[in-house]
């Protein structure tokens, strides 16, 4: 699976959009981009995933660049409860893709 | 029901004790997972079950023994643990082991925080 690179930490003001970047420059054509988050002392929570197109759900939007080498998770109106570690994960379809492997993630702190 | 339930939430055990962690889901998911998470580190995969059969053991020491009695239940039996095994143990499930994309997301429980004394 392709490796991902994320900033260690980011800050965001409450009510503003939080834009979390992820670099996956070695991604291949059949690999999906997944985002999970983990609020302190809880289990990880699935947010969104995408392959090529931008995606939006009730939690967030995922913007994937045309070359697929990077993506951005957007929380449109961050709240204090969005403070968490956000993990960007690349997973392959087909073959031995059973692993959901977590990297170090980005600690997003939403400030009042 | 869209949850993965883990019990107990907290567990303190001695190095000579035998204890078990329990995980339950009623979403009809056929793949279940155990992860271990040390403080300030990302979760690390331990075991993968698919259709109640062990598919993957990530070279986990034998003092950890997984069991999948049925499609809804996953246990982790603990025996002769060391203090360094103290961690948050997370259970997760997904529809199918090899499903990626829509339906390929994992649902995690809140974990069992284990302290070995």
């Amino acid at each position: 699976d392709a490796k991902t690179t994320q900033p260690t930490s980011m800050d965001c003001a409450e009510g503003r959009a939080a834009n979390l970047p992820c670099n996956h420059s070695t991604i291949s054509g059949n690999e999906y981009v997944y985002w999970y988050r983990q609020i302190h002392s809880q289990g990880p929570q699935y947010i969104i995933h995408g392959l090529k197109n931008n995606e939006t759900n009730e939690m967030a939007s995922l913007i994937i660049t045309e070359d697929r080498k990077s993506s951005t998770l957007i929380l449109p109106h961050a709240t204090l409860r969005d403070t968490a570690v956000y993990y960007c994960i690349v997973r392959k379809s087909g073959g031995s893709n059973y692993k959901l492997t977590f990297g170090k993630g980005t600690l997003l702190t939403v400030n009042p | 029901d869209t949850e993965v339930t883990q019990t107990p939430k907290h567990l303190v055990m001695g190095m000579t004790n035998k204890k078990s962690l329990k995980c339950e889901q009623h979403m009809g998911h056929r793949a279940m997972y155990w992860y271990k998470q040390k403080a300030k580190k990302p979760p690390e995969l331990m075991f993968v079950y698919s259709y109640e059969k062990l598919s993957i053991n990530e070279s986990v020491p034998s003092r950890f023994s997984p069991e999948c009695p049925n499609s809804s239940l996953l246990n982790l039996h603990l025996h002769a643990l060391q203090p360094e095994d103290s961690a948050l143990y997370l259970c997760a499930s997904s529809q199918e082991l090899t499903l990626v994309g829509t339906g390929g997301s994992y649902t995690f429980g809140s974990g069992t925080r284990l302290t070995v004394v």
Side-chain angles (χ1 to χ4, degrees):
Chain A
D1 291 341
K3 291 190 184 298
T4 62
T5 304
Q6 299 178 252
T8 302
S9 63
M10 294 183 64
D11 285 291
C12 177
E14 188 177 20
R16 304 296 294 270
N19 296 279
L20 293 98
C22 179
N23 181 288
H24 31 78
S25 58
T26 60
I27 195 169
S28 59
N30 62 350
E31 289 183 311
Y32 285 76
V33 179
Y34 277 80
W35 284 83
Y36 284 77
R37 74 179 182 183
Q38 187 172 22
I39 296 169
H40 183 61
S41 294
Q42 295 183 23
Q45 176 190 23
Y46 164 78
I47 301 173
I48 199 166
H49 73 275
L51 182 62
K52 298 181 202 176
N53 301 321
N54 298 337
E55 302 288 344
T56 296
N57 64 20
E58 64 278 5
M59 289 183 69
S61 294
L62 175 60
I63 308 298
I64 302 175
T65 57
E66 194 169 340
D67 63 7
R68 303 186 69 240
K69 293 185 177 183
S70 66
S71 60
T72 301
L73 179 75
I74 301 172
L75 308 178
H77 306 286
T79 71
L80 299 179
R81 286 177 294 181
D82 292 321
T83 293
V85 178
Y86 287 77
Y87 296 101
C88 170
I89 302 168
V90 173
R91 287 185 72 204
K92 189 182 301 184
S93 64
S96 300
N97 64 341
Y98 50 84
K99 291 185 183 184
L100 186 71
T101 302
F102 291 83
K104 296 180 181 178
T106 296
L107 173 60
L108 173 69
T109 303
V110 181
N111 300 304
Chain B
D1 188 351
T2 58
E3 289 187 348
V4 172
T5 303
Q6 289 189 244
T7 54
K9 292 197 183 305
H10 300 273
L11 179 63
V12 179
M13 62 184 290
M15 289 188 283
T16 58
N17 290 162
K18 286 185 182 181
K19 296 286 185 183
S20 296
L21 310 185
K22 180 180 172 182
C23 172
E24 199 163 4
Q25 58 87 14
H26 297 286
M27 295 177 281
H29 288 177
R30 304 316 301 266
M32 297 185 77
Y33 313 85
W34 281 114
Y35 281 79
K36 174 182 178 178
Q37 185 173 26
K38 300 281 281 183
K40 300 190 186 301
K41 299 288 187 183
E44 293 181 351
L45 185 64
M46 300 174 71
F47 301 104
V48 178
Y49 273 82
S50 177
Y51 285 85
E52 296 132 64
K53 290 192 181 343
L54 183 64
S55 292
I56 301 296
N57 176 342
E58 292 286 289
S59 303
V60 179
S62 59
R63 57 186 183 269
F64 296 91
S65 175
E67 177 196 22
C68 190
N70 59 57
S71 60
S72 300
L73 193 56
L74 187 66
N75 297 321
L76 186 62
H77 303 297
L78 314 172
H79 173 55
L81 295 194
Q82 303 296 311
E84 58 265 29
D85 296 321
S86 298
L88 180 68
Y89 288 85
L90 293 160
C91 175
S93 69
S94 66
Q95 281 189 19
E96 295 272 347
L97 181 59
T98 57
L99 188 61
V100 185
T102 300
S105 62
Y106 286 28
T107 302
F108 283 83
S110 296
T112 294
R113 187 159 300 281
L114 174 68
T115 303
V116 181
V117 297

